[in-house]
Amino acid sequence: MSVLDSKVPKGPLAEKWVNHKNHINLVNPANKRNIDVIVVGTGLAGGSAAATLAELGYNVKTFCYNDSPRRAHSIAAQGGINAAKNYQGDGDSNFRLFYDTIKGGDYRSREANVHRLAEVSSNIIDQCVAQGVPFAREYGGLLDNRSFGGVLVSRTFYAAGQTGQQLLLGAYSALNRQINRGKVTPFNRHEMLDLVKVDGKARGIIARNLVTGEIERHGAHAVVIASGGYGNVFFLSTNAMGSNVMAAWRTHRRGAHFANPCYTQIHPTCIPVSGEHQSKLTLMSESLRNDGRIWVPKNLEDAKAIREGKLRGVDLKEEDRDYYLERRYPAFGNLVPRDVASRAAKERCDAGYGVNKTGNAVYLDFAASFLRYGKIEALTSGHKDASEAEMIALGKKVIEKKYGNLFDMYMNITDENPYEVPMKIFPAVHYTMGGLWVDYNLQTTVPGCFAAGEANFSDHGANRLGASALMQGLADGYFVLPYTIGDYLADEIRTGPISTETAEFDQAEKDTRARIEKLMNGAGVHSVDYYHKKLGLIMWNKCGMSRNETDLKSAMDEIAELRADFWKNVKVPGSADTKNQELEKAGRVADFLELGELFAKDALDRNESCGGHFREEYQTEEGEALRDDVNYAYVSAWEYNENPRDAKLHKENLVFENVELKTRSYK
């Protein structure tokens, strides 16, 4: 085991980033024209990074498996993006955003990175407004804000329930400008299959053209991995069906350490699983918790009657409802952090209070908001004697303006009208805080290979606060990586073009072809989805919202056995030298089968509960997470081993100089 150097600059926390920018190496404009950068992934982090690097003068190649960068999973983000602008005058500041993020992550993130994120957050909003992102505005025309979980201020900027889509269109417009200028060469419908190292440095990738099946070599002076998270290791998640860990995992195989894989976020407000043949889950934005109240019946008899269809939740009297988040966490109520809300929902459902047929759902109810908003609307419009029914009708129109597309989505999926009956929700896998380990410059342990956005581990600790993923992706892409990558590339100005006709590229392509051939030559007993679903069940049942030593050891054994069977018996029809979506899936599931075992090993190694990592053996008398700051205040960074249970642990010790380590409380 070794201790990793995060290369955090010295000095006061609030001055680290400014001083670092003032002293890192630069590349002059004439030399930037001779330097090539590959960006893998074109969501918010990758798209913004590629556009900004090209604007600076670098030659950029982008790679995405979709037919357009506009289809990146970033487009699915709904609720908003955080920034410490304090437009509401409610006491927000850079430090408060920093502190909320550190606390929300249960004190398992790097102070310097999180403060930098808070510092640049305001710049993101200015950048996006300049691009034309249609953020919501209040009556006077100023940008509006709403609140998200784990905070006591309103700092979330939003565009209805489609913030991710609008931000991605802004980044895509910037990227498209550079494509038209010839500074970005897009390789859509391409998937990275390997990282190529020459003399220890990242010098390019091996990619597969997903339309023709052709294996291609691409060289560059640096490679940026911005390919998102690995939530689909659970099979059922809110991620897009194609979201995968391949680019990050293949980078890991070539020497980049993988950090904190067990830190996975379970989002509390998702549409519940409806059946065993379901292929993905759908998020209902956390922003709904601003106006929706979460509850279950107080009495087990009522819960049973609701599950059996004998009673409707909407008909249950107020005194017979348990608003359990408001009861347990009065200071934050329904806006507690996601890990806290998710475990509370699971606890209620495990106790028999679930409200759908499977018993795994709670209510998200907007009736009180209809009346509250309706009363305001009636009074401000001069209708002083409005009836309750009239006020409810007015309130529904207000809610429709704020969340209409989310309500429509829920109605289309469930065939229930949330304007008339409460939504049913349940936690689901949504985001991964773990990822490639990076230093302060966002560089992995492979020189010349950088990671941005959800693909790295850096900012959220053991639990991400809502509306912070978009913030991190755009912070990394627009305002951090374009500075820090220059510090590395300043030493590459004399390197010259990177040739792909070298022994290293030859070997990487040979390894890639051999792996594809092995996938194609399985015995053909079971489909790829068969293995993915089995893996997902193991992960959810034994590595999901709660874990314990026995289950984690069992999971490691079961995943290893499943992986061996996969390589022996998987069925991949068709040919490798043409379009073959089953082959694409097989490659991704093969990586998930390695990651899953490392995930379980990481969770087993961390004998504490923190954030989204909840070990049943380590909890308070009230059922809250019990951290061990003496023994586990570090980042776990794993060195690759083809047998994941033998992966070597490296540590980055977390030092807290500006916040006090204490038990999180949202009561």
Side-chain angles (χ1 to χ4, degrees), residues 60 132 150 159 189 298 459 593 638 659:
V60 180
R189 301 294 289 132
K298 277 185 180 178
D459 292 354
L593 285 164
W638 297 94
V659 298

Side-chain angles (χ1 to χ4, degrees), residues 291-324:
D291 292 309
R293 301 177 71 193
I294 295 174
W295 63 275
V296 293
K298 277 185 180 178
N299 303 312
L300 283 171
E301 296 79 9
D302 289 336
K304 182 180 179 182
I306 289 172
R307 287 195 298 272
E308 293 175 351
K310 298 176 181 177
L311 179 67
R312 296 195 313 160
V314 71
D315 296 327
L316 208 60
K317 295 178 181 179
E318 191 71 15
E319 59 266 26
D320 293 327
R321 302 180 180 192
D322 177 16
Y323 296 93
Y324 57 88

